[in-house]
């Protein structure tokens, strides 16, 4: 049946006649589950800005969350999409548990569904995502034509080998300096530059988290300015000038705080974004002047040294983790404990770059362990010994991640290794665990939890135990 749009009297809602049913969409509201088509049980979330009208052509941002949380993903971008007048959509059925090809087909069906019912500007179609959602978004243009740009946060390109300079898209990365992906993001920028992909990297002082609205807004601004440069939208000279002034003020603020590397990076970004709009000779001179300053050269040399040291430590983590898991090398848990102590020292260092490295290495170590756990749990025949080693290691890499202690205690009690179970019970309680009920309901511990030793440890840290020790 032919699809059409019908505006209600007040213009606050739109009725879509889609797939033999009327669907009313309110502007300014995230709608959670619109059907993709009649034959497939797939849906997508959608957001229309309050300025939306059925005339003209509108930019659209497709956001990808690999757990299929379309509404939640749109919510992160909603305030900026509203300000910049973007339609947003997100498929609800992509997942990191299914194949890449299936995810691409699901994403493509969502794109087609949105194009079929909304007036989309064909040269202003963008993708976005955080973490593995950002990686997925970055490879989608290699399979789906017409995607102009990508906003990838906390991630890099999913697969560099898929990039084709003949099908270049605008890549905008958003990355915290404490994100474990930060070194990879710096390297990716060089690769994209060599391949002549237009790209910018927005940096902020933080870790592997969703960026703040300020960083998301900068990404939207970059894409809009690129659209002006290409003639896809009318150039607004006053907006360009105001945007430049805001960025230059950010540079001055960074210089005042003696954050010379970030200031230099931002200046480079300004040059790449505004050179098609304005004369940038003065900016080039400002960047050259900054690079000659002793304070900048000192900070840059320090960062280079830190990144090199980090790369060596990263190689050690990857190598020894593989060796330890395949050989069940419990003796090397002490080495890992030493490494985590070193990371703690980095995080407390007076050197800001060492602090950042410490935060990155902490997250990286935990990510590597968690990925190995997921890999073993996904096998048809589970390597229980390897899994136990990784659970033990996880209590070292992140002592506050309590479920792994419980797994070790349960597994050890199952095999009547009560000494190991009691050791991890005490370590768990030392690190602040307080759920006594869970300790007395833990699987495989029926015999262990009535022993005097088990109850003595609980009484020591939680004041009283469920069972009184039996005196001989």
């Amino acid at each position: 049946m032919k699809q059409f749009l019908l505006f209600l009297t007040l213009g606050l809602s739109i009725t879509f006649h889609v797939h033999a049913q009327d669907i009313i969409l309110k502007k300014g509201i995230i709608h959670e589950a619109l059907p993709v088509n009649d034959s497939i049980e797939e849906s997508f979330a959608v957001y229309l800005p309050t300025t939306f009208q059925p005339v003209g052509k509108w930019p659209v941002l497709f956001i990808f969350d690999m757990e299929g949380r379309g509404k939640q993903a749109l919510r992160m971008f909603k305030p900026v999409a509203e300000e910049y007048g973007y339609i947003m959509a997100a498929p609800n059925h992509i997942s990191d548990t299914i194949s890449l090809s299936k995810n691409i087909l699901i994403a493509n069906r969502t794109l087609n569904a949105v194009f079929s019912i909304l007036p989309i500007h064909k040269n202003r179609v963008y993708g976005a995502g955080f973490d593995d959602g950002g990686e997925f978004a970055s490879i989608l243009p290699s399979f789906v034509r017409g995607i102009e740009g990508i906003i990838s946060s906390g991630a890099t390109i999913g697969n560099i080998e898929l990039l084709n300079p003949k099908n270049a898209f605008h890549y905008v990365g958003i990355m915290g300096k404490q994100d474990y992906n930060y070194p990879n993001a710096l390297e990716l920028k060089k690769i994209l530059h060599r391949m002549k992909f237009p790209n910018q990297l927005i940096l902020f002082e933080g870790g592997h988290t969703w960026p703040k609205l300020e960083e998301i807004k900068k990404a939207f601004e970059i894409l809009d300015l690129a659209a002006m440069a290409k003639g896809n939208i009318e150039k607004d000279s006053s907006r360009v000038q105001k945007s430049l002034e805001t960025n230059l003020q950010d540079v001055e603020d960074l210089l005042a705080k003696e954050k010379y590397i970030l200031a230099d990076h931002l200046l480079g970004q300004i040059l790449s974004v505004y050179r098609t709009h304005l004369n940038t000779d003065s900016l080039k001179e400002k960047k050259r002047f900054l690079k000659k300053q002793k304070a900048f050269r000192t900070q840059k040399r320090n960062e280079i040294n830190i990144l090199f040291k980090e790369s060596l430590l990263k190689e050690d983590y990857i190598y020894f983790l593989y060796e330890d898991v395949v050989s069940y090398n419990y003796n090397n848990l002490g080495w890992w404990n030493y490494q985590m102590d070193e990371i703690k020292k980095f995080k407390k260092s007076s050197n800001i770059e060492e602090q950042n490295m410490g935060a990155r290495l902490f997250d990286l170590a935990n990510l590597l362990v968690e990925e190995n756990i997921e890999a073993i749990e996904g096998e048809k025949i589970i390597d229980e010994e390897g899994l136990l080693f990784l659970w033990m290691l996880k209590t070292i890499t992140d002592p506050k991640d309590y479920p792994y202690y419980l797994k070790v205690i349960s597994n050890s009690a199952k095999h009547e290794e009560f000494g190991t179970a009691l050791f991890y019970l005490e370590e768990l309680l030392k690190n602040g665990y307080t759920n006594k009920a869970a300790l007395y309901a833990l699987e495989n511990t029926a015999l262990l939890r009535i022993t005097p030793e088990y109850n003595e440890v609980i009484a020591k840290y939680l004041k009283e135990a469920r069972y009184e020790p039996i005196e001989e």
Side-chain angles (χ1 to χ4, degrees), residues 433-447:
Y433 187 78
T434 59
N435 192 340
K436 189 189 302 182
L439 292 175
Y440 282 105
L442 191 58
E443 188 179 13
N444 301 320
T445 62
L447 185 58

Side-chain angles (χ1 to χ4, degrees), residues 60-96:
V60 61
L61 181 71
F62 291 93
I63 305 177
F64 302 99
D65 179 272
M66 301 312 289
E67 295 183 22
R69 300 168 299 189
K71 183 177 181 180
Q72 292 89 326
L74 296 189
R75 189 179 292 126
M76 301 303 297
F77 286 82
K78 178 184 173 183
V80 183
E82 174 64 26
E83 179 179 349
Y84 282 77
Y86 274 63
I87 294 169
M88 294 192 299
N92 287 323
H93 292 83
I94 61 171
S95 170
D96 56 8

Side-chain angles (χ1 to χ4, degrees), residues 21-272:
Q21 60 178 315
D22 288 337
I23 299 176
I24 298 176
L25 297 183
K26 291 184 178 180
K27 294 187 283 186
I29 300 294
I30 295 174
H31 295 268
E32 198 167 348
L34 269 68
V36 170
N37 59 46
D38 290 331
S39 59
I40 301 175
E41 289 188 5
E42 290 176 5
S43 66
F44 62 95
V46 70
Y47 173 81
L48 302 179
T50 54
T51 54
F52 177 80
Q53 299 293 333
V55 295
K57 300 294 182 181
W58 293 79
V60 61
L61 181 71
F62 291 93
I63 305 177
F64 302 99
D65 179 272
M66 301 312 289
E67 295 183 22
R69 300 168 299 189
K71 183 177 181 180
Q72 292 89 326
L74 296 189
R75 189 179 292 126
M76 301 303 297
F77 286 82
K78 178 184 173 183
V80 183
E82 174 64 26
E83 179 179 349
Y84 282 77
Y86 274 63
I87 294 169
M88 294 192 299
N92 287 323
H93 292 83
I94 61 171
S95 170
D96 56 8
T97 62
I98 62 178
S99 69
L100 174 62
S101 60
K102 288 183 178 179
N103 279 323
I104 290 172
L105 290 173
I106 292 170
N108 192 48
R109 284 192 287 267
T110 297
L111 266 69
N112 289 335
V114 171
F115 270 85
S116 70
I117 62 173
L118 292 170
I120 302 299
H121 195 307
K122 67 177 183 179
N123 292 323
R124 300 193 67 199
V125 179
Y126 308 103
F130 172 72
D131 195 13
D132 50 2
E135 287 191 357
F136 176 74
S138 72
I139 65 174
L140 199 58
S142 299
F143 299 96
V144 179
R145 295 288 181 178
I147 297 178
E148 185 72 14
I150 295 296
I151 301 173
S152 178
S153 177
T156 55
I157 297 287
N159 189 337
I160 296 292
E161 295 179 358
L162 293 174
L163 295 180
N164 182 357
K166 294 181 180 180
N167 185 34
F169 56 90
H170 199 134
Y171 181 86
V172 182
I174 306 178
M175 186 69 62
K177 286 202 70 178
Q178 293 187 348
D179 193 312
Y180 56 81
N181 277 314
Y182 173 69
N184 297 331
L186 296 180
E187 188 61 31
L188 174 63
K189 185 168 179 61
K190 297 176 185 176
I191 295 171
L192 293 175
H193 181 71
R194 289 197 298 268
M195 297 181 72
K196 301 189 183 305
F197 273 67
N199 72 96
Q200 282 80 37
L201 176 61
I202 300 168
L203 297 179
F204 65 93
E205 295 181 290
H208 190 68
T209 60
W210 274 92
K212 296 179 181 178
L213 292 179
E214 178 184 353
E215 282 77 41
I216 297 176
K217 184 175 179 178
K218 286 181 179 179
F220 274 68
E221 188 73 10
I222 287 171
L223 293 178
D224 274 10
L225 290 172
M228 289 183 195
K230 286 187 173 184
N232 293 330
I233 56 175
E234 185 178 354
K235 184 173 179 177
D236 184 339
S237 297
S238 63
R239 177 181 170 185
V240 172
Q241 185 62 39
K242 183 178 179 181
S243 175
L244 174 62
E245 291 171 358
T246 299
N247 276 281
L248 289 177
Q249 184 57 55
D250 289 342
V251 171
E252 293 303 320
D253 292 343
L254 290 170
L255 291 173
K257 297 175 183 177
E258 299 183 350
K259 296 178 179 180
Y260 301 117
I261 294 176
L262 285 173
D264 176 67
H265 176 86
L266 182 53
L267 273 172
Q269 180 178 299
I270 292 171
L271 281 167
S272 69

